[in-house]
Amino acid sequence: MKKSKIFATVVYFIFTFGIGLVFALTLPGYFATFTAPAEVISDALKSGDFITGIVLTEPVGFNRKPVLESNFEQGGGIILYETVMEVYDRDTAQDSGAAANGLVHGMLFKCYEGYVYGVDGYYDVFAQQNNGTSLSVTAEDGKETKLSLLDYDADGNGTNDGISNYTQSGFIVVEIRDSDVSSVKTLRFTDKTGEVVLTAEAEQSLAFGSGFFDCFGDIAAYNQLVAAGNKADISAEESARIIEQRNDYVNAVTEALEAAPDCSVTAKSEEYKAAVDTVNGIANRKAIPFIVVYFVAIYIIADFLLGSHLIIKFFKWFLFKVCKIPHKEKQKVDKADFFGHDYFSMVTVKLDLSEVPEFNGSVEIKYTNTSEEAVFTLLKSEDYTATVRLKAGIYVNPFIDIDRAYAPVDLPDNLEVEGYQMEKTIKIVKREG
């Protein structure tokens, strides 16, 4: 294999295997984060396994007993749980100023979290213009707050047109934060036309107060610790003190949740562990075939473009040797049959004077056949190269006229003239003695 081909092969495999390694490391995580959870949630909601659905929203903790559960007349329903969620938005956790204006990464908030499910046959929420889809929450005091449900822009015009989970998996995630409303009594879901299609009402007003929420103590004070820890100019000692206080808070909340009936730390619940295993299994089943196909493809491409065509050779062996499929053998073509006999060839003879650089005489080489004589006169002025037009055939009886102090070492006994051009190099050495 030529050096350039070896170099190209090495570069090709380093580059393609590098990309393959990136796929192998990132694809399972990608599917586990963006596609598999929605599949698991969708299946869980269809089977009535609402706990699996709620743990995959990944709250810090949740109450196993739903606070609102209602079925709609047209089919499907809504279910909400008491949860405390953690903000996951690293881009906003830059300084205390950002924290003063709202929640940033690592802060906690109380909310009622759940799903609307089984309504995809009649609840239409997609429209690229004047989409009226929303959730209206009526509090105990009668105040109505409109919350947005739309989360993706299909046409790229800067206005959201639909609900991604609903479009892809048939459910809607409902999250009502304590910062949005003071309490929850009635929920009204409008469709794309703005008409109320789904309605649900809590038996008692939900005001973000219960034994579950009490387990979290002073959330506002904890969020202040998070904001303080995000300051750019914080000292190492202050950072260590804040981390210790945050850990003490987390430990206290964990103990309180584990002691409270029906309350759970999400990460420690059996349902969460089982759901994560299911998600990872789906993610691996999606990623592994892609990765295998990728590596097979790069090998096939390499074998055809850079390799020795082992794939073609294997199939030829399998088809013709194993399966015994008949095929025509390539006939060997004799040189005489290929070129014929009645043609002329341009024959060039050169001298190799690498061992006798001092040589400067003339040389004449002769061959004969039955009808023609081949004479090559080699002169220094012509770089000891001579070309003669000869009829194809075999020339014999070699003769060389050269200074007797020198001799050829590889003058052929027969000069076989074939092809339309040919070249022969004769090496000259100095005679011994």
Side-chain angles (χ1 to χ4, degrees):
M1 185 182 292
K2 295 181 179 179
K3 289 183 179 180
S4 59
K5 192 172 184 180
I6 294 175
F7 177 75
T9 302
V10 171
V11 171
Y12 173 83
F13 278 111
I14 290 176
F15 178 73
T16 54
F17 270 79
I19 294 176
L21 182 61
V22 171
F23 283 150
L25 294 176
T26 60
L27 274 181
Y30 170 82
F31 288 123
T33 301
F34 296 104
T35 63
E39 294 181 26
V40 176
I41 291 171
S42 179
D43 292 340
L45 295 178
K46 289 176 183 177
S47 65
D49 181 10
F50 300 119
I51 293 294
T52 293
I54 201 63
V55 297
L56 283 178
T57 63
E58 299 192 67
V60 176
F62 67 98
N63 191 336
R64 293 174 176 275
K65 289 185 177 180
V67 291
L68 189 153
E69 187 172 8
S70 178
N71 294 323
F72 303 125
E73 292 182 3
Q74 304 96 317
I78 181 174
I79 189 164
L80 294 179
Y81 292 85
E82 294 175 325
T83 64
V84 169
M85 309 291 289
E86 180 179 8
V87 178
Y88 191 82
D89 185 3
R90 294 186 182 277
D91 293 337
T92 62
Q94 296 175 352
D95 52 46
S96 58
N101 297 325
L103 297 173
V104 299
H105 178 78
M107 289 185 176
L108 304 180
F109 60 90
K110 300 175 184 179
C111 71
Y112 295 109
E113 189 92 6
Y115 298 96
V116 170
Y117 58 92
V119 299
D120 49 317
Y122 63 91
Y123 183 47
D124 191 354
V125 302
F126 182 84
Q128 293 181 315
Q129 292 183 345
N130 303 320
N131 195 326
T133 302
S134 68
L135 165 60
S136 293
V137 181
T138 303
E140 186 177 16
D141 61 4
K143 181 181 179 181
E144 188 171 335
T145 303
K146 183 176 288 188
L147 304 178
S148 177
L149 295 174
L150 305 175
D151 63 4
Y152 78 94
D153 181 7
D155 55 9
N157 66 352
T159 302
N160 286 336
D161 307 313
I163 305 172
S164 56
N165 283 321
Y166 189 54
T167 300
Q168 297 171 5
S169 305
F171 63 82
I172 300 171
V173 179
V174 178
E175 183 176 277
I176 304 173
R177 302 186 180 191
D178 62 342
S179 58
D180 296 328
V181 297
S182 59
S183 63
V184 177
K185 183 58 179 174
T186 306
L187 304 177
R188 294 181 177 85
F189 294 86
T190 60
D191 65 5
K192 65 180 182 180
T193 66
E195 180 182 353
V196 176
V197 178
L198 310 174
T199 303
E201 187 165 350
E203 293 182 3
Q204 297 180 347
S205 179
L206 308 177
F208 302 96
S210 68
F212 167 76
F213 288 121
D214 290 343
C215 291
F216 284 84
D218 192 349
I219 289 180
Y222 175 79
N223 287 344
Q224 288 178 359
L225 290 174
V226 175
N230 285 328
K231 291 180 179 178
D233 57 350
I234 187 172
S235 66
E237 293 79 6
E238 180 68 8
S239 178
R241 184 185 66 80
I242 291 174
I243 291 173
E244 183 179 0
Q245 290 181 311
R246 289 180 62 177
N247 289 338
D248 289 341
Y249 173 83
V250 170
N251 292 334
V253 170
T254 301
E255 291 178 5
L257 287 174
E258 291 176 344
D262 300 318
C263 298
S264 295
V265 179
T266 301
K268 292 186 176 182
S269 70
E270 293 301 321
E271 294 88 350
Y272 180 75
K273 295 175 183 177
V276 169
D277 288 342
T278 302
V279 167
N280 289 336
I282 293 174
N284 289 334
R285 287 196 294 273
K286 288 176 176 289
I288 290 174
F290 180 90
I291 294 168
V292 170
V293 169
Y294 172 80
F295 278 105
V296 170
I298 64 174
Y299 172 76
I300 292 174
I301 293 172
D303 187 63
F304 277 93
L305 297 182
L306 302 171
S308 51
H309 307 296
L310 294 178
I311 296 174
I312 295 176
K313 292 177 182 177
F314 168 78
F315 279 106
K316 284 184 177 179
W317 170 82
F318 181 76
L319 293 174
F320 300 136
K321 298 295 183 181
V322 178
C323 298
K324 305 296 184 181
I325 295 177
H327 68 293
K328 291 183 178 181
E329 295 286 350
K330 289 184 178 179
Q331 295 181 349
K332 293 184 179 179
V333 180
D334 185 82
K335 293 178 181 177
D337 293 334
F338 182 79
F339 289 106
H341 297 280
D342 191 17
Y343 70 93
F344 286 87
S345 175
M346 300 301 293
V347 182
T348 299
V349 174
K350 296 182 177 181
L351 296 186
D352 177 2
L353 302 175
S354 57
E355 294 191 14
V356 287
E358 75 283 0
F359 182 84
N360 61 5
S362 62
V363 177
E364 186 177 78
I365 299 174
K366 295 181 180 179
Y367 282 91
T368 60
N369 67 6
T370 56
S371 60
E372 190 174 359
E373 183 178 60
V375 180
F376 299 91
T377 303
L378 301 131
L379 305 174
K380 183 177 181 179
S381 60
E382 297 176 359
D383 294 327
Y384 293 104
T385 300
T387 301
V388 176
R389 182 172 179 269
L390 297 175
K391 190 172 184 180
I394 298 177
Y395 292 73
V396 296
N397 302 324
F399 173 80
I400 184 168
D401 183 8
I402 190 172
D403 186 332
R404 293 187 59 83
Y406 300 90
V409 296
D410 52 2
L411 186 67
D413 292 333
N414 297 318
L415 181 64
E416 186 176 352
V417 176
E418 60 184 6
Y420 297 107
Q421 286 185 336
M422 63 173 289
E423 184 176 294
K424 182 66 180 175
T425 300
I426 309 298
K427 188 173 185 178
I428 304 298
V429 297
K430 200 164 188 178
R431 293 182 186 271
E432 296 182 1

Coordinates of all heavy atoms in Angstrom, one line a residue, residues 248-286:
D248 N -27.4 21.2 55.2 CA -28.2 21.1 56.4 C -29.7 21.2 56.1 O -30.5 20.4 56.6 CB -27.8 22.1 57.5 CG -26.4 21.9 58.0 OD1 -25.9 20.8 57.9 OD2 -25.9 22.9 58.6
Y249 N -30.0 22.1 55.2 CA -31.4 22.2 54.8 C -31.9 21.0 54.1 O -33.0 20.5 54.4 CB -31.6 23.5 53.9 CG -33.0 23.6 53.3 CD1 -34.0 24.2 54.1 CD2 -33.3 23.2 52.1 CE1 -35.3 24.4 53.5 CE2 -34.5 23.3 51.5 CZ -35.5 23.9 52.2 OH -36.8 24.0 51.7
V250 N -31.1 20.5 53.1 CA -31.5 19.3 52.3 C -31.7 18.1 53.2 O -32.6 17.4 53.1 CB -30.4 19.1 51.2 CG1 -30.7 17.7 50.6 CG2 -30.4 20.2 50.2
N251 N -30.8 18.0 54.2 CA -30.9 16.8 55.1 C -32.1 16.9 56.0 O -32.8 15.9 56.2 CB -29.6 16.8 56.0 CG -28.4 16.4 55.3 OD1 -28.5 15.7 54.2 ND2 -27.2 16.8 55.7
A252 N -32.5 18.1 56.4 CA -33.7 18.3 57.2 C -34.9 18.0 56.4 O -35.9 17.4 56.9 CB -33.7 19.7 57.8
V253 N -35.0 18.5 55.2 CA -36.1 18.2 54.3 C -36.3 16.7 54.0 O -37.4 16.2 54.1 CB -36.0 19.0 53.0 CG1 -37.1 18.6 52.0 CG2 -36.1 20.5 53.3
T254 N -35.1 16.1 53.8 CA -35.2 14.6 53.5 C -35.7 13.9 54.7 O -36.6 13.0 54.5 CB -33.8 14.1 53.2 OG1 -33.3 14.8 52.0 CG2 -33.8 12.7 52.9
E255 N -35.3 14.2 55.9 CA -35.8 13.5 57.1 C -37.3 13.8 57.3 O -38.0 12.9 57.6 CB -35.0 14.0 58.3 CG -33.5 13.5 58.3 CD -32.8 14.1 59.5 OE1 -33.4 14.7 60.4 OE2 -31.6 13.8 59.6
A256 N -37.7 15.0 57.0 CA -39.1 15.4 57.2 C -40.0 14.6 56.2 O -41.1 14.1 56.6 CB -39.3 16.9 57.1
L257 N -39.6 14.6 55.0 CA -40.4 13.9 53.9 C -40.4 12.4 54.2 O -41.5 11.7 54.1 CB -39.7 14.1 52.6 CG -39.9 15.5 51.9 CD1 -39.1 15.6 50.6 CD2 -41.4 15.8 51.7
E258 N -39.3 11.8 54.7 CA -39.3 10.3 54.9 C -40.2 10.0 56.2 O -40.7 8.9 56.3 CB -37.9 9.9 55.1 CG -37.1 9.9 53.9 CD -35.6 9.5 54.1 OE1 -35.2 9.5 55.3 OE2 -34.9 9.2 53.1
A259 N -40.4 11.0 57.0 CA -41.2 10.7 58.2 C -42.7 11.0 58.0 O -43.5 10.5 58.8 CB -40.7 11.6 59.4
A260 N -43.0 11.8 57.0 CA -44.4 12.2 56.7 C -45.1 11.1 55.9 O -44.5 10.6 54.9 CB -44.4 13.5 56.0
P261 N -46.3 10.8 56.3 CA -47.1 9.8 55.5 C -47.3 10.3 54.1 O -47.7 11.4 53.9 CB -48.4 9.7 56.3 CG -48.1 10.2 57.7 CD -47.0 11.2 57.5
D262 N -47.2 9.3 53.1 CA -47.5 9.6 51.7 C -46.5 10.6 51.0 O -46.7 11.0 49.9 CB -48.9 10.1 51.5 CG -49.9 9.1 52.0 OD1 -49.7 7.9 51.7 OD2 -50.9 9.5 52.6
C263 N -45.5 11.1 51.7 CA -44.6 12.0 51.1 C -43.3 11.3 50.8 O -42.8 10.4 51.5 CB -44.3 13.2 52.1 SG -45.7 14.2 52.5
S264 N -42.6 11.7 49.7 CA -41.5 11.0 49.2 C -40.4 11.9 48.7 O -40.8 13.0 48.1 CB -41.8 10.0 48.1 OG -42.6 8.9 48.6
V265 N -39.2 11.6 48.9 CA -38.1 12.2 48.2 C -38.0 11.5 46.8 O -37.8 10.3 46.8 CB -36.7 12.0 48.9 CG1 -35.6 12.7 48.1 CG2 -36.8 12.6 50.3
T266 N -38.2 12.3 45.8 CA -38.3 11.6 44.5 C -37.2 10.7 44.1 O -37.4 9.6 43.7 CB -38.4 12.7 43.4 OG1 -39.6 13.5 43.7 CG2 -38.6 12.1 42.0
A267 N -35.9 11.2 44.3 CA -34.8 10.4 43.9 C -34.6 9.1 44.6 O -34.0 8.1 44.1 CB -33.5 11.2 44.0
K268 N -35.2 9.0 45.8 CA -35.1 7.8 46.6 C -36.3 6.8 46.4 O -36.3 5.7 47.0 CB -35.0 8.1 48.1 CG -33.7 8.8 48.5 CD -33.6 9.0 50.0 CE -32.2 9.6 50.3 NZ -32.0 9.8 51.8
S269 N -37.4 7.3 45.7 CA -38.5 6.4 45.6 C -38.3 5.3 44.6 O -37.6 5.4 43.6 CB -39.7 7.3 45.1 OG -39.5 7.7 43.7
E270 N -38.9 4.2 44.9 CA -38.8 3.0 44.0 C -39.4 3.2 42.6 O -38.9 2.7 41.6 CB -39.5 1.8 44.7 CG -38.9 1.3 46.0 CD -37.4 0.9 45.7 OE1 -37.1 0.3 44.7 OE2 -36.6 1.2 46.6
E271 N -40.4 4.0 42.6 CA -41.1 4.3 41.3 C -40.1 5.1 40.4 O -40.0 4.9 39.2 CB -42.3 5.1 41.5 CG -43.5 4.4 42.2 CD -43.4 4.5 43.7 OE1 -42.4 5.1 44.2 OE2 -44.4 4.1 44.3
Y272 N -39.4 6.0 41.0 CA -38.4 6.8 40.2 C -37.3 6.0 39.7 O -36.9 6.0 38.5 CB -37.8 8.0 41.1 CG -36.8 8.8 40.3 CD1 -37.3 9.7 39.4 CD2 -35.5 8.7 40.6 CE1 -36.4 10.5 38.7 CE2 -34.6 9.5 39.9 CZ -35.0 10.4 38.9 OH -34.1 11.2 38.2
K273 N -36.7 5.1 40.6 CA -35.7 4.2 40.2 C -36.1 3.3 39.0 O -35.4 3.1 38.0 CB -35.2 3.4 41.3 CG -34.5 4.2 42.5 CD -34.2 3.3 43.7 CE -33.6 4.2 44.8 NZ -33.4 3.4 46.0
A274 N -37.3 2.8 39.1 CA -37.8 1.9 38.1 C -38.1 2.6 36.8 O -37.8 2.2 35.7 CB -39.1 1.2 38.5
A275 N -38.6 3.9 36.9 CA -38.8 4.7 35.7 C -37.5 5.0 35.0 O -37.4 5.0 33.8 CB -39.6 6.0 36.1
V276 N -36.5 5.4 35.8 CA -35.2 5.7 35.2 C -34.6 4.5 34.5 O -34.1 4.6 33.4 CB -34.2 6.2 36.3 CG1 -32.8 6.3 35.7 CG2 -34.7 7.6 36.8
D277 N -34.7 3.3 35.1 CA -34.3 2.1 34.4 C -35.0 1.9 33.1 O -34.4 1.5 32.1 CB -34.4 0.9 35.3 CG -33.5 0.9 36.5 OD1 -32.5 1.6 36.5 OD2 -33.8 0.2 37.5
T278 N -36.3 2.1 33.1 CA -37.1 2.0 31.9 C -36.6 3.0 30.8 O -36.4 2.6 29.6 CB -38.6 2.1 32.2 OG1 -39.0 1.2 33.1 CG2 -39.4 1.9 30.9
V279 N -36.4 4.2 31.2 CA -36.0 5.3 30.3 C -34.6 4.9 29.7 O -34.4 5.1 28.5 CB -36.0 6.6 31.0 CG1 -35.2 7.7 30.2 CG2 -37.3 7.1 31.3
N280 N -33.7 4.5 30.6 CA -32.4 4.2 30.1 C -32.4 3.0 29.1 O -31.6 3.0 28.1 CB -31.4 3.9 31.3 CG -31.1 5.1 32.1 OD1 -31.1 6.2 31.5 ND2 -30.7 5.0 33.3
G281 N -33.3 2.0 29.4 CA -33.4 0.9 28.5 C -33.9 1.3 27.2 O -33.4 0.8 26.1
I282 N -34.9 2.1 27.1 CA -35.4 2.6 25.8 C -34.3 3.5 25.1 O -34.2 3.3 23.9 CB -36.7 3.5 26.1 CG1 -37.8 2.6 26.6 CG2 -37.1 4.2 24.8 CD1 -39.1 3.4 27.0
A283 N -33.6 4.3 25.9 CA -32.6 5.1 25.3 C -31.5 4.3 24.6 O -31.0 4.5 23.5 CB -32.0 6.1 26.3
N284 N -31.1 3.2 25.3 CA -30.0 2.3 24.8 C -30.5 1.6 23.6 O -29.8 1.4 22.6 CB -29.6 1.3 25.9 CG -28.8 2.0 27.0 OD1 -28.1 3.0 26.7 ND2 -28.8 1.4 28.1
R285 N -31.8 1.2 23.6 CA -32.3 0.4 22.4 C -32.4 1.4 21.2 O -32.3 0.9 20.1 CB -33.7 -0.1 22.7 CG -33.7 -1.3 23.7 CD -35.0 -2.1 23.7 NE -36.1 -1.3 24.2 CZ -36.4 -1.2 25.5 NH1 -35.7 -1.9 26.4 NH2 -37.4 -0.5 25.9
K286 N -32.6 2.7 21.4 CA -32.6 3.6 20.3 C -31.2 3.9 19.8 O -31.0 4.1 18.6 CB -33.3 4.9 20.8 CG -34.8 4.8 20.9 CD -35.3 6.2 21.5 CE -36.8 6.2 21.6 NZ -37.5 6.2 20.3

